[in-house]
């Protein structure tokens, strides 16, 4: 898993979160990178600054950058699987 989000209470809220992720993943300035005690991670933020997705912790900076690139490349067309 590259990016995880909050748990949504309704299906509509979930769909809104997906669309926000798709839209915001195309703007590099929406990615906030962080160094943590065990490595590197990033958040994807909406235009209002709210975190809409958080990455796993990567051991290397290059791994984190690859994760960001993957989200930017794949999020707009990623299939939606309803597992509810």
């Amino acid at each position: 898993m590259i990016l995880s989000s909050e748990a949504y209470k309704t299906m509509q809220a979930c769909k809104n979160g997906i669309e926000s992720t798709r839209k915001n993943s195309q703007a590099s300035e929406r990615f906030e990178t962080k160094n943590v005690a065990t490595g590197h991670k990033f958040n994807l933020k909406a235009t209002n600054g709210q975190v809409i997705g958080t990455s796993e912790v990567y051991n290397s900076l290059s791994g984190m950058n690859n994760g960001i690139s993957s989200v930017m490349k794949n999020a707009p067309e990623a299939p939606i699987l309803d597992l509810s």
Side-chain angles (χ1 to χ4, degrees), residues 2-74:
I2 297 174
L3 197 65
S4 62
S5 71
E6 66 179 276
Y8 293 99
K9 293 181 181 178
T10 67
M11 183 58 75
Q12 187 57 51
C14 179
K15 289 178 180 179
N16 292 344
I18 291 168
E19 288 308 311
S20 181
T21 299
R22 288 181 166 178
K23 175 185 164 192
N24 288 291
S25 68
Q26 299 308 289
S28 60
E29 66 271 12
R30 301 278 187 264
F31 290 88
E32 171 190 57
T33 61
K34 295 184 170 205
N35 294 322
V36 294
T38 56
H40 310 274
K41 71 177 195 170
F42 64 88
N43 291 323
L44 176 61
K45 292 186 168 188
T47 54
N48 66 2
Q50 180 181 358
V51 174
I52 54 177
T54 300
S55 76
E56 62 183 275
V57 175
Y58 294 90
N59 293 328
S60 68
L61 188 58
S62 63
M64 180 191 67
N65 288 331
N66 288 339
I68 291 171
S69 294
S70 182
V71 171
M72 292 182 83
K73 177 182 175 186
N74 296 301

